[in-house]
Amino acid sequence: MHWILGIGLTVLAFYMLRHWGDLPEEKRKAYLFRGLAGGFVLLMLLLLLTGRIHVLVAAVGALLPFLRKLPALLKYLPLANRLYRDYKGGANQGQQQAGGTGARPGSGRMSVEQAREILGLEASASRDDVIAAHRRLIQKVHPDRGGNDFLAAQINEAKAVLLDRQA
């Protein structure tokens, strides 16, 4: 019986993937969402009918302490996305093509505008403002506190660029 079910699921997956490639992009997104939602509902129904729903309840209970911190972490998502774009070279190349004042891609040195954007400072920020913004951000993303090496390096470089400019 298991063999028949496995072969049937394999054939079904083959036909679904075959037709998936023929769909336009906007329909793919809609079908993907519907498929994931339907799969989730089927999984919940299967867990409920087999008496194993307690596994899911225990997993959600274990995740609750982490979910409390999620809103606080989401406010750093734009900064992380911007830094990742800069790391990949997308923002620097776009500024160069548009005639912006960004640093050369691959130069290893960020522009003053990028440094201000990373630290969240205005153009009129003083030396004390730069140091305070750096301290506030580095305490949140430092690798010793579970943060990211790349983000900490970008924040340190932004501080160095702004302090070198003011010196």
Side-chain angles (χ1 to χ4, degrees):
M1 181 65 180
H2 287 42
W3 284 94
I4 294 172
L5 183 62
I7 291 172
L9 287 175
T10 304
V11 169
L12 178 67
F14 173 75
Y15 280 112
M16 287 176 65
L17 289 175
R18 187 171 156 201
H19 291 292
W20 180 263
D22 297 335
L23 292 174
E25 185 66 30
E26 58 274 353
K27 283 196 173 189
R28 281 187 193 179
K29 289 180 182 179
Y31 285 150
L32 179 65
F33 178 74
R34 287 181 192 162
L36 289 176
F40 179 76
V41 168
L42 285 175
L43 179 66
M44 293 299 110
L45 186 62
L46 179 69
L47 288 174
L48 184 64
L49 292 176
T50 58
R52 293 187 174 98
I53 195 77
H54 63 279
V55 174
L56 182 67
V57 172
V60 169
L63 289 176
L64 281 178
F66 298 108
L67 292 177
R68 284 186 23 226
K69 295 193 182 267
L70 186 63
L73 294 174
L74 287 178
K75 70 180 182 181
Y76 295 109
L77 191 60
L79 174 66
N81 284 336
R82 187 171 48 243
L83 292 175
Y84 180 74
R85 249 191 350 257
D86 290 348
Y87 176 72
K88 288 295 183 184
N92 286 340
Q93 290 171 357
Q95 285 180 352
Q96 286 295 319
Q97 291 171 355
T101 59
R104 290 188 328 264
S107 69
R109 193 78 167 154
M110 69 176 59
S111 69
V112 174
E113 290 81 16
Q114 288 172 333
R116 279 194 206 117
E117 189 177 347
I118 288 171
L119 293 179
L121 295 172
E122 304 274 330
S124 61
S126 68
R127 178 179 178 82
D128 293 334
D129 293 336
V130 172
I131 292 171
H134 172 266
R135 182 172 292 141
R136 184 184 69 248
L137 287 173
I138 203 68
Q139 286 177 351
K140 294 176 183 172
V141 299
H142 196 276
D144 290 346
R145 294 187 176 193
N148 186 325
D149 289 334
F150 175 71
L151 293 177
Q154 288 291 314
I155 292 169
N156 287 333
E157 185 176 356
K159 174 187 172 190
V161 166
L162 291 177
L163 291 181
D164 287 348
R165 182 179 172 268
Q166 290 180 353

